[in-house]
């Protein structure tokens, strides 16, 4: 086909406990070198402790598509993003994407400086881009209440931000960065339902419409608007496809969306 792939995963598996495998491999090598017991003594332990966090994941997103990553707590949603980022190296399979990635982590972080510094994060100020993003992230009203608007210093000696403000600043920072692929890990934590709905619509759906997006969310409304959905369960791909396919193939899916 003529469409360009934004993100592809082919039969990808990974575990966080690779360190244990390496450790036992090292012990085995040392045992061998010392003329001690050889063989697969380490395997017993590795089989016990190394549980894959993601198992045989397959997905294919065309450029400009939105993927919703859903599943209950601990199912591997953040790990999937870490794998795309290259922080978690697959033990099997292949990941393909077109290069520059912008990532918004689950836990928001702020560096000392002004709010604007925190959003630009070293990039040049482009008024049109900046204003569209802060509007879409519902930050304008917050800035109006601050003594120096977005030039107000935060962290030490500055204003204290609410969890929701921090979350929106971090989202704005991730969106401001020009990238081919945007990874947004639960970007709506600490937001009330109305604000979440507005930001999902104005920022994630409209402003970012042409961008390839991977969004961790369990909200039914978000799944409905995503181009593809991956529903994880204990690291397995319980479902991958569109919302209508989800309803048809997994009518019980909502039980996996809690948390
Ligand atoms: N894990 C780990 N080391 C890490 C991150 C995760 O050992 N650095 C483990 C903890 C879980 C599993 O991986 O058993 C999956 O964790 P995720 O954070 O990927 O799961 P979710 O993002 O789905 O969970 P939540 O919704 O609670 O954030």
């Amino acid at each position: 086909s003529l469409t360009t792939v934004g993100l592809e995963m082919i039969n990808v598996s990974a575990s966080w406990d690779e360190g244990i495998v390496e450790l036992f491999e090292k012990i085995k090598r040392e045992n061998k070198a010392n003329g001690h017991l050889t063989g697969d003594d380490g395997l017993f332990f590795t089989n016990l402790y190394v549980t894959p966090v993601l198992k045989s994941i397959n997905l294919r997103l065309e450029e400009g598509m939105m993927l919703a990553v859903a599943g209950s707590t601990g199912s591997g949603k953040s790990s999937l993003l870490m794998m795309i980022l290259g922080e978690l190296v697959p033990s099997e399979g292949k990941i393909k994407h077109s290069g520059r990635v912008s990532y918004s982590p689950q836990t928001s972080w702020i560096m000392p400086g002004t709010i604007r510094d925190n959003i630009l994060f070293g990039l040049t100020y482009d008024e049109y881009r900046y204003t569209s993003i802060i509007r879409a992230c519902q930050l304008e009203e917050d800035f109006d209440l601050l003594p120096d608007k977005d030039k107000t210093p935060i962290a030490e000696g500055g204003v204290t931000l609410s969890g929701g403000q921090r979350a929106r600043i971090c989202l704005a920072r991730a969106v401001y960065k020009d990238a081919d692929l945007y990874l947004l890990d639960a970007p709506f934590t600490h937001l009330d339902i109305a604000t979440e709905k507005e930001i999902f619509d104005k920022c994630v759906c409209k402003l970012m419409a042409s961008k390839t997006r991977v969004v961790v969310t369990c909200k039914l409304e978000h799944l409905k608007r995503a181009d593809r959905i991956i529903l994880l369960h204990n690291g397995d791909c319980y479902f991958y496809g569109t919302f209508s396919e989800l309803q048809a193939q997994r009518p019980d899916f909502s039980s996996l969306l809690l948390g």
Side-chain angles (χ1 to χ4, degrees), residues 110-125:
I110 296 289
M111 59 163 195
T114 66
I115 294 177
R116 188 184 285 193
D117 294 337
N118 266 277
I119 294 171
L120 299 180
F121 202 58
L123 300 175
T124 38
Y125 177 71

Side-chain angles (χ1 to χ4, degrees), residues 15-17 52-54 69-82 88 106 185-186 216 218 232 235 259:
S15 33
W16 278 111
D17 323 24
V53 65
L54 291 162
V69 183
S72 52
T73 179
S75 60
K77 304 183 293 294
S78 297
S79 300
L80 189 84
L81 268 56
M82 300 306 274
L88 172 60
Q106 192 171 20
D185 196 347
V216 175
C218 288
L232 298 171

Side-chain angles (χ1 to χ4, degrees), residues 12 21 29 114-115 118 160 200-202 212 219 230 233 236:
V12 173
V21 181
R29 279 197 305 274
T114 66
I115 294 177
N118 266 277
T160 308
F200 180 74
D201 179 59
K202 297 229 161 65
T212 314
K219 288 275 157 71
I230 185 161
H233 183 54
D236 283 311

